[in-house]
Amino acid sequence: MEELPKAYDPHEVEQRWSRIWEERGYFRPEARPEGPPFAIVLPPPNVTGHLHIGHALNHTLQDVVVRWRRMQGYRVLWVPGTDHAGIATQVVVERELAKEGVTRQQLGREAFERRVWQWRERSGRTILQQMRREGVSVDWTREAFTLDEPRSRAVREAFVRLYEEGLIYRGEYIINWCPRCQTALSDLEAPKREVRGHLYYIAYALAPGAGEQVLVIATTRPETMFGDTAVAVHPEDERYRHLIGRTAIIPFVRREVPIIADARVEREFGTGVVKITPAHDPVDFEIGHTHGLPRLIALDPQGRMTEAAGPFAGLDRFEARRRVVEELERTGQLVRIEEHTHAVGHCQRCETIIEPLVSTQWFLHVKPLAEEAIRAVREGRTRIVPENWAKVYFEWLENIRDWCLSRQLWWGHRIPAWYCPEGHITVARETPAACATCGRADLRQDEDVLDTWFSSALWPFSTLGWPEDTEDLRTFYPTSLLVTGFDILFFWVARMMMMGLKFMADHPSRARALDPDAVPFRVVLIHGLVRDPYGQKMSKTRGNVIDPLQIFEHYGTDAARFTLLASAAPGNDISLQYSKLETYRNFCNKIWNAARFVLMNTDEADLASGAEETAVPLSLADRWMESVLHRTIAEVTRDLEEFRFHEAAHRLYHFFWHDFCDWYLELSKGAATAPEDSPARRAARRRLREVLETSLRLLHPFMPFITEELWQRLPHEGETICLASYPTADPARIDPVAERQMETIIEVITRVRNIRAVMNIDPAERVRLLVRPVTVHARALLEENEDSIRRLARVERVEIVPTLDGYRQVARDVVGELELAVPLEGIIDVERERERLRRTVEKLEKELEQLERRLANADFLERAPEDVVRETRQRHTEVNERRQRLLTILQGL
């Protein structure tokens, strides 16, 4: 057989197999035409640059499931694609234009859109090439883009249907407005952050009358007083009840406003008296609506004061605040200022503090859709993993507000609404020739585009051909699994649930579907963030962003994938450690070298099966390996079914490195290198090949490239490991007795090796091993495996003795029913070694004390990354075990 190169070159292997897999169509569902369907849609990355390490985690988790199911015989469809990312992409392209000294307004809408499409072509290609580098096994022939023609048709269809049912409407409402991006934002796009500011106590004069002449109000935004149309108190607040119905006077502009009572006023805030600014605060907007208050605009869309601000008109909002406070202080109307921390909305894209403004926008009434999405999860038709995220999902949907759909952008799905000079609105799937109300032909399309998440919400079924009744929809909807980060549970997951249940419930495809339910996916798997090695969130400002392509380049894709998987406990954040990347790069090399040994010890004669070979009885090592292999298959399969990727990865690592390489390969070398005409040699070599081949199939979903390369070199059936069958566990081949017996032999060899290492015995020196078996069974086990013990522990001879009493200068140990002793006289300086061991024990006890203090520290256990805590506990166990072993040896000396 062709000899493997000495060193594994991941880059050449990855490039070659990535090209072959795609060219031969192995990832299309047609590759498994008879299997049950399994579908998954890729969360489409934004076309705003490069993939980050979070994408690498997300794609790897999906790819493991997809490859595993495909090998199990499922007809797998994994749809790839990218998202046009409206505001994010427009901001990036506008920055590029700014470098040229050009604005989008100077270019004009059509030219700007062409420019963005050109940029998207470049960026989209980059992202798709990066995804290929990750090894994702998507069906590239079905690639989709949220702004391509099929998705655009789906968006128009969805919008028109929702409008015709009265769920989409155009109205005046208070919205989050970004003065920098000049667009409306949904609540999710304007996350609130804690800001240290001030609470200003201002004296409002009261209109002439009996009693008080001044009322002190508290506000964080004194500049908005020019939009006040009322002052409010709680109706049950005894301090102010007598003032209800009187009027207060706005400073500087001397405008009178009524004092009203409303239960939404917080009596504990400030003085319990608040200014009501319906045009610039969401709560005030609702209060104003209840009381029929006018909406006075004090700030314009650029964040500047309007004419309503009198002497402060034209000032930027923050400069106006400073000036207003100065003037209030000068006139004696500023009572006091207090430090105050409060939550302030920020634009998710540019970090600008948002401005609540009343604006005419398009909205979706989501309450009835949210109720269906809640019911689907409560009934178990869609399952969220881990379950704790279901509670968060319910809380958001139960308190949902109408969704502001329109964005004042040029890049995106333009709203399919047209206006005639008479003010009529025509909403249509295609550009209308005339107004649907009056018939006038001079129509103007709405300038705004839809929120990016509207098209994304249709992704699970628009990528399968909706609104048409397609074979893909009948076969693959509902999809089987969605893997996503918790940060878009509301942005995307909840909205896909709402839209899927709305549009697929009565779709014609359901009548002939394999699964007629309308939910978009059966399981939603939520994963955590990837953090830096110190547990910090990655950000450009911190300078700790890790580029996944650099990781793939330096360590190889399989090693990078395995590192992410081994750290991916469900729902928990990952701290990406470079030491782990090194560990799993070494694991790739270990796999390569093990396969190289097996292939070097395979010739043409070995591949011809004979009766003599099959008649060779299985040794204890063979029975143990067979049992451990099938137990590992069962456990890894269960881990995958329960999305415990980290546990599956750890099991595979332990099995291949320790069980197969460290032990079975070494135990088999004697037989595998026996004389050529030996049936035992051919049998040992065949078993090594079989275990290796099965192991490669078991590892393939986790490490696709190296396993394909090695599998092709072994005897196999089929064109590719991608379509080979995933190993299935045979309970009849799991042998607990063989496992216990082999564990005893392994422990004997390990303890003798430890004695040699601890006592500094020359590696070339062969030692005597005295053994006192406690039972007949223990003696038989020892005798049966004496050859392996002598060979792997470098023992000259094994002596079975009735007692170890009376032996001096020996290193002792106990393994189950076997008492061990290695005579040291004439091999080492016993006194010197005894003193060295005492010093080592003292050092270990000091380290143990430090580790125990750390593990007793509640702050460390709560704040340190999970893997750091786990490694500390593991180190504590290792140090304690080593200390105990050394104490046992000291006692023997």
Side-chain angles (χ1 to χ4, degrees), residues 240-276:
Y240 307 112
R241 187 179 287 178
H242 64 288
L243 295 176
I244 297 168
R246 289 186 64 179
T247 56
I249 301 171
I250 307 299
F252 307 120
V253 293
R254 307 292 300 169
R255 181 164 44 79
E256 293 190 12
V257 297
I259 299 174
I260 63 173
D262 194 284
R264 284 165 284 195
V265 173
E266 296 179 25
R267 283 178 277 189
E268 299 76 21
F269 178 79
T271 61
V273 184
V274 296
K275 53 196 281 305
I276 302 300

Side-chain angles (χ1 to χ4, degrees), residues 109 126 168 217 258 329 333 336 365 473 520 610 639-640 698 758 764 768:
R109 184 162 191 154
T126 300
I168 283 182
I217 65 99
E329 192 168 25
Q333 289 172 281
R336 68 180 185 274
H365 180 49
L473 270 176
D639 289 338
L640 289 175
L698 196 58
V758 168
R768 291 164 57 213

